[in-house]
Amino acid sequence: MKQHKHTRKHRRRKSCKIHTHFDLNSATAFGGAAGLIDFVLQTGMDKYFCTEELGKRKDAQFQMDDVALTFVLGTLLGQERIFHFEDIEHDPLLMLKLDLPKLPDTTLLYKDLKRLGSPVGMEAIRSAQRLVLKSLLPKGHDIVVDIDSSVETVFGNQEQSAVGFNPHHHGRASFASSLF
């Protein structure tokens, strides 16, 4: 994955102190999220989205790292669907932290989501995830993932039930779920 030199935005993005004023001129719903936003920016995950394969024209208003950070931060701040991102498009805290005049709109997010779904985009996402996990784990330590599964036997032909491993009722349809 070739990485190219990044735009002006990457150098200017940084943790910054926010002065709190109790007025409604620049109100944000995410005032308590400044630390979380700083953490995401300090991981440097956006550099994995600055590849030639995912790149856009140099004069594009939003590069793929802007879009990726918008997805990550919006999701962390509770925006469950892309059309919910309309609510945060002009959020002053996010615009300040990302050093953008406004966030990408939903039309652009839908369009660029296709790029992130490509093999190159998926590799960029995996690399960013590994970077974040590596920064969270102390050096030399392993992580253990404990997976518990539960099986719920159904009676009849409920949608999405299937015959599978069922220790109590062999051969019966059930729902299986895993808890991490």
Side-chain angles (χ1 to χ4, degrees), residues 13-81:
R13 266 191 207 128
K14 61 182 180 281
S15 174
C16 58
K17 296 214 183 234
I18 305 290
H19 299 286
T20 306
H21 300 281
F22 296 97
D23 60 19
L24 292 177
N25 294 336
S26 297
T28 178
F30 307 113
L36 177 65
I37 296 168
D38 287 343
F39 169 76
V40 170
L41 294 177
Q42 288 172 359
T43 63
M45 74 169 63
D46 53 332
K47 69 181 177 187
Y48 290 104
F49 299 97
C50 300
T51 64
E52 289 179 17
E53 294 88 356
L54 287 176
K56 297 173 146 187
R57 293 182 7 192
K58 292 194 186 285
D59 63 342
Q61 184 178 5
F62 301 105
Q63 295 297 325
M64 281 307 293
D65 60 323
D66 299 325
V67 174
L69 282 174
T70 300
F71 276 125
V72 169
L73 292 174
T75 303
L76 288 173
L77 296 174
Q79 308 305 310
E80 295 176 355
R81 303 196 181 276

Side-chain angles (χ1 to χ4, degrees), residues 99-114:
D99 191 32
L100 295 171
K102 72 177 203 81
L103 297 180
D105 64 8
T106 56
T107 307
L108 181 67
L109 293 175
Y110 278 117
K111 185 175 133 184
D112 284 345
L113 188 59
K114 291 178 185 176

Side-chain angles (χ1 to χ4, degrees), residues 1-12:
M1 188 172 358
K2 296 179 189 174
Q3 293 192 359
H4 61 78
K5 292 188 177 163
H6 201 284
T7 63
R8 59 182 162 64
K9 296 173 190 137
H10 182 56
R11 284 179 297 228
R12 292 194 328 202

Side-chain angles (χ1 to χ4, degrees), residues 128-170:
Q129 287 173 332
R130 282 191 293 271
L131 176 73
V132 172
L133 286 174
K134 202 181 223 183
S135 71
L136 292 173
L137 294 174
K139 288 188 178 189
H141 287 80
D142 294 331
I143 186 169
V144 175
V145 178
D146 183 21
I147 301 173
D148 296 325
S149 15
S150 60
V151 177
E152 192 66 40
T153 304
V154 296
F155 301 92
N157 293 325
Q158 278 83 359
E159 196 173 313
Q160 296 187 0
S161 65
V163 175
F165 176 73
N166 190 334
H168 301 291
H169 302 280
H170 300 287

